[in-house]
Amino acid sequence: MPKIFFVTPDNKTTEVDVSGPMTVMQAAIQGDIRGIEAECGGACACATCHVYVDEAFVDRLPPAQEDEEDMLEGVAAERLPNSRLSCQIPVTDALDGLRVRIPDRQF
Amino acid sequence: MERAIVAIGASHAGVQFVASLREQGHTGQITLVSDEPDFPYHKPPLSKAFMKGTASVESLNLRGPHFFQSAGIDFRRGLSAIGIDRAARQVRFSDGSILSYDVLMLATGARPRVWAGQALPHNVSALRSLNDARRLHNAVADTVGPIVVVGGGYVSLELAATWCMTTGRDITIVNSASRLLARSASPELAAVVENRFRAHGVGMRMGVQARQFTIDASGNARGVVLSDGTEIPASLVVLGTGVLPNQELALAAGLPCDGGILVDEQCRTADRAIFAAGDCTRHFNGYAGRQIRLECVQNAHDQARVAAAVICGQDARYHQVPWFWSDQFDMKFQTVGLLPDTRSLCVTRGTPRDGKGAYYHYDMAGKLAAIETVNMPAEHMLGRKLLSAGMSVSADRVADPAFNIRQLL
Ligand SMILES: Cc1cc2nc3c(=O)[nH]c(=O)nc-3n(C[C@H](O)[C@H](O)[C@H](O)COP(=O)(O)OP(=O)(O)OC[C@H]3O[C@@H](n4cnc5c(N)ncnc54)[C@H](O)[C@@H]3O)c2cc1C
Ligand code: FES
């Protein structure tokens, strides 16, 4: 069961155990992680599920598709090279231990 | 004593409201009541991923399974609010129970318009709730033959597109207006959509109404009779003929309603103790500068946040620029702003007809009022920032392919 670590802006880390197929966004919702709004429910249409992926994992993720790249244009917080939309990252065993930081705002 | 807050309706608006109350620091009692049996869920995927079969029920959850408990919210489902006693500040429920409130939130949403003709045959239904979606999903599996979709709004089109891709069945859209999306998209965008549906072989009957059903011995519709006297065969019919705001509870309590519960820009009704948010409201919209009713997730969430902030003592106002999206076939439609009733100009960028482009709509004063994009999420997001900042951009610049909104921001 892969584990995902969410680091909130107040530097608190919360661990979520993922069972079953889901995205990093859905893992955050399951784990009641504050700061992932996910208004569109994962349709890559709202950019309120923005996260910063830990540098060590950036290359292990499937690269962002064009839609996600485009939507990242509009994130509310600063866009950084490790910015991703968490609804577009499926959790796999290879991502066990993934650490993502939540920006200070989503809209 | 902390105020006791009761919210009626646990969908996009109701759930966002109670979550925002806790985020804003309200520590008093919160009760959230839903007349649905299900855990609160995202509605947009019902016509898209869920209907396709690519999204599970759990993946639709608006919040995690432990959210209400850990946030200290008393969530009661399967319970319908049937009356408000404003003098006593109490709500009565279908099981006879009564809740007292200091602050009441009406997030009752909207329901499908009822069919004015005969009683509905078994294989005819609308789509609003998860229950509807389950039933429709099963009905598609259990039937063979043509599907008729009545209505040319977004939900109808999404269903038609989904079934066109997943079932290969004959699909016909019956639309009483002379074009698709008459209420919610420009004629230009509607033409793009219509083209795409025709290219996929979806039948279109425009400018005619569905009048009645021909019914077989087992009580199922076998055909839909149209206002021009023709009949189209059907083994399954979906009614996507629009929704009505759930304002009856408010009306009965003497709160002013007019095609939606009337609220101001702080989401207050005429009663200081009662707020309303989401599809059930007709609100003063700061962006539009007039009263409107919106049916989109953005509006539900943003109004709910404003109401929660106001209740927690902030001077918040609802001024957000409206936006929504729709996914059909390989097209992602996104609209930001409000289409003006009369416009001075529509400028095309790219080639929306070929699946990538945008329409910029200008009001009579020459100000940019809305941007409709097809498969251009970046342009949509930048457009949101532009309109949120109250900025416009001249039609000449927009017409230049080298122009990018980013230059303005
Ligand atoms: C199939 C479908 C697809 C959609 N796709 C999109 C999309 O792509 N993008 C977009 O922006 N929007 C979309 N929408 C619209 C969006 O879902 C609505 O705008 C949104 O759900 C409004 O939220 P709400 O909380 O105001 O109301 P609702 O979602 O209507 O919820 C109101 C809730 O209150 C309950 N209720 C009502 N009366 C009572 C009572 N007396 N007692 C207790 N409970 C009560 C209702 O049963 C319901 O659960 C779609 C809608 C549908 C149906
Ligand atoms: S949830 Fe909306 S873009 Fe990820």
Side-chain angles (χ1 to χ4, degrees), chain A residues 40-104:
Chain A
C40 77
C44 200
C46 70
T48 63
C49 64
H50 178 204
V51 294
Y52 302 113
V53 173
D54 190 281
E55 303 295 345
F57 280 86
V58 169
D59 296 334
R60 285 155 66 179
L61 299 180
Q65 303 283 303
E66 195 184 338
D67 259 19
E68 182 188 341
E69 267 312 317
D70 275 7
M71 288 299 291
L72 283 165
E73 282 274 0
V75 291
E78 190 186 0
R79 178 179 179 180
L80 298 174
N82 57 339
S83 283
R84 293 291 304 257
L85 295 181
S86 57
C87 71
Q88 301 302 307
I89 309 173
V91 179
T92 55
D93 288 339
L95 294 187
D96 185 24
L98 173 69
R99 185 175 288 272
V100 300
R101 201 155 50 77
I102 295 171
D104 57 358

Side-chain angles (χ1 to χ4, degrees), chain A residues 43-47 65-75 79 85, chain B residues 323-327 330-336 355-358 360 371-385 404-406:
Chain A
C44 200
C46 70
Q65 303 283 303
E66 195 184 338
D67 259 19
E68 182 188 341
E69 267 312 317
D70 275 7
M71 288 299 291
L72 283 165
E73 282 274 0
V75 291
R79 178 179 179 180
L85 295 181
Chain B
W323 59 265
F324 66 88
W325 78 98
S326 175
D327 297 316
D330 54 350
M331 295 178 297
K332 179 184 241 38
F333 299 110
Q334 290 170 294
T335 297
V336 56
K356 194 163 179 151
Y360 280 61
I371 306 171
E372 296 177 310
T373 54
V374 183
N375 291 333
M376 287 184 109
E379 187 114 345
H380 166 78
M381 292 308 287
L382 294 166
R384 266 201 228 169
K385 290 192 170 175
N404 186 320
I405 305 181
R406 209 178 298 116

Side-chain angles (χ1 to χ4, degrees), chain B residues 106 259-261 263 276-283 292-294 299 303:
Chain B
L106 300 174
I261 305 169
V263 293
D279 278 21
C280 65
T281 67
R282 176 173 295 276
H283 62 276
I292 55 173
R293 194 168 79 78
L294 292 171
N299 176 62
Q303 277 194 317

Side-chain angles (χ1 to χ4, degrees), chain B residues 38-164:
Chain B
D38 288 295
F39 191 83
Y41 54 89
H42 282 276
K43 278 202 155 76
L46 297 182
S47 49
K48 310 175 185 91
F50 180 78
M51 199 54 69
K52 277 185 198 132
T54 55
S56 66
V57 169
E58 298 76 58
S59 74
L60 303 181
N61 282 356
L62 276 173
R63 301 281 156 167
H66 310 297
F67 173 77
F68 295 113
Q69 204 186 356
S70 52
I73 292 161
D74 180 1
F75 172 52
R76 308 186 186 184
R77 51 179 134 170
L79 203 58
S80 187
I82 55 172
I84 304 169
D85 180 341
R86 284 168 53 195
R89 295 203 172 169
Q90 287 183 330
V91 187
R92 253 180 321 114
F93 293 91
S94 45
D95 64 348
S97 62
I98 288 178
L99 279 176
S100 294
Y101 64 83
D102 296 305
V103 178
L104 179 64
M105 163 55 82
L106 300 174
T108 49
R111 61 176 181 281
R113 204 179 283 279
V114 290
W115 176 250
Q118 74 230 80
L120 283 188
H122 310 313
N123 58 340
V124 179
S125 61
L127 170 59
R128 181 74 191 175
S129 65
L130 177 55
N131 241 341
D132 296 338
R134 285 195 190 99
R135 232 180 318 114
L136 267 177
H137 193 265
N138 292 341
V140 170
D142 294 345
T143 54
V144 286
I147 300 178
V148 175
V149 177
V150 181
Y154 277 110
V155 173
S156 297
L157 295 174
E158 288 172 358
L159 281 175
T162 295
W163 289 331
C164 181

